[in-house]
Amino acid sequence: MGKLKNIAVRVLFSLLVAGSVCSLFLPPPRAVSPNDFGYICRFEGGVELLRFAEIYPLLDGTDGQTIYLDREGERGAVAGSEPFSRAYGLLSDGPFADLYALRTDGLNSVERAALFRAFGGTSYYAGEEFRYGGVRLERMTRANADRVVLLDGALPKGYLSDMGASELVITSSASVKAEDLAGSEVGKITAFSPYRAEGDALYYDGAEGIRLVAALPAAKELSLLGMDFIDRGALAPCKELTSLTLAFVGASPDLRGGAWVEFSALFDEECGVPAGLKRVKVTGGSLAAYCFLGAPAVEEIDCCGMDPANIDPEAFTGSGWRILHTPRADLALSGSYESETAPCGCTVYRRLS
């Protein structure tokens, strides 16, 4: 009896050892997530539990907190997690180091799909091009991008135009020039200090003052006031301009340092002043001699409010003005014209031929 008992113990021990060895080659146990059974979706008509395959066709954007759904006009929502919100923030505008370290494989399927829908068409540029591949940022080049995030440095020449981008995000480490926007379809700019997007214009808030950097290509009517400096060619992207109000003409209000003073220097050197720009108003600064030379299409020039001593008598010589509103009454004008005194005290000239 004792012998049989010893044999049974040995057999049992052998089986236990064999089972332990076999278990080394089995896949590790997987924790079952509540999302494996469905996602809580709050629709206008009530709360439902849907699987990923049912939710995916309904995805309709996200704000980083909530994932929105649209089911044949019925609005719905799935709440995002805290890691999802953090990933959304980083994919929106960096910074590059944190964005490059980001991994989203720990998010659930709905969250990853929502992020890819939101940022799959975004190009992240930092000396080279990166794209969000669904899990992390990857080095890759594609033919187009609806959104470009400039994380660091400058863009290659013509990049925004080549990508067909409609939106540009400028981070604090970026460097942007007006020529970057030329020929592009960018209609929205989001900028971080020291850059600032206001209306259709982009400014740089520097230690010496506010500098106008550029304006959007599709701008038709611009009012550019409150800056201390203007970059040469700042309005080069603007081919559709019809009306322009400026705080001054030139690099700065006082024309210091021998910087540019010509109105045409605001625009592209090759294409010149847009033919559709008919009305210009200048509220301050100084107007140098012949400063409107090279702007033959501009028909109305209004300088009401300027100090007449800051307007050179030949400021409008060589321009194509038809109506001229100026506080100075002793201008050197060519051709035939008539004049009258306006209620504000300025002289209004109307060209006859």
Side-chain angles (χ1 to χ4, degrees), residues 27 34 63 81 201 227 257 289 329 339:
D63 58 7
S81 64
M227 64 275 191
S339 65

Side-chain angles (χ1 to χ4, degrees), residues 82-219:
E82 184 177 340
F84 169 77
S85 297
R86 178 179 178 275
Y88 181 92
L90 289 175
L91 288 167
S92 294
D93 48 58
F96 178 62
D98 293 342
L99 181 55
Y100 192 67
L102 175 68
R103 298 293 183 272
T104 61
D105 46 344
L107 302 180
N108 65 51
S109 299
V110 170
E111 291 175 328
R112 292 199 305 274
L115 288 177
F116 190 76
R117 283 281 189 92
F119 301 105
T122 296
S123 168
Y124 300 90
Y125 202 89
E128 56 185 315
E129 186 178 332
F130 296 83
R131 300 285 178 123
Y132 174 61
V135 173
R136 60 186 176 85
L137 218 60
E138 302 173 5
R139 288 181 174 86
M140 64 175 72
T141 301
R142 293 181 186 168
N144 53 60
D146 52 18
R147 182 171 176 267
V148 172
V149 179
L150 181 54
L151 293 165
D152 187 57
L155 289 169
K157 185 176 181 180
Y159 186 81
L160 294 174
S161 176
D162 293 343
M163 288 292 104
S166 60
E167 181 179 355
L168 172 65
V169 178
I170 304 168
T171 65
S172 300
S173 302
S175 177
V176 179
K177 304 180 296 298
E179 65 183 51
D180 295 330
L181 296 167
S184 77
E185 299 178 11
V186 172
K188 179 183 178 182
I189 293 179
T190 301
F192 294 85
S193 180
Y195 288 96
R196 171 169 50 89
E198 188 174 297
D200 288 335
L202 176 67
Y203 300 90
Y204 182 92
D205 298 327
E208 297 184 355
I210 300 170
R211 178 164 55 89
L212 173 66
V213 177
L216 292 178

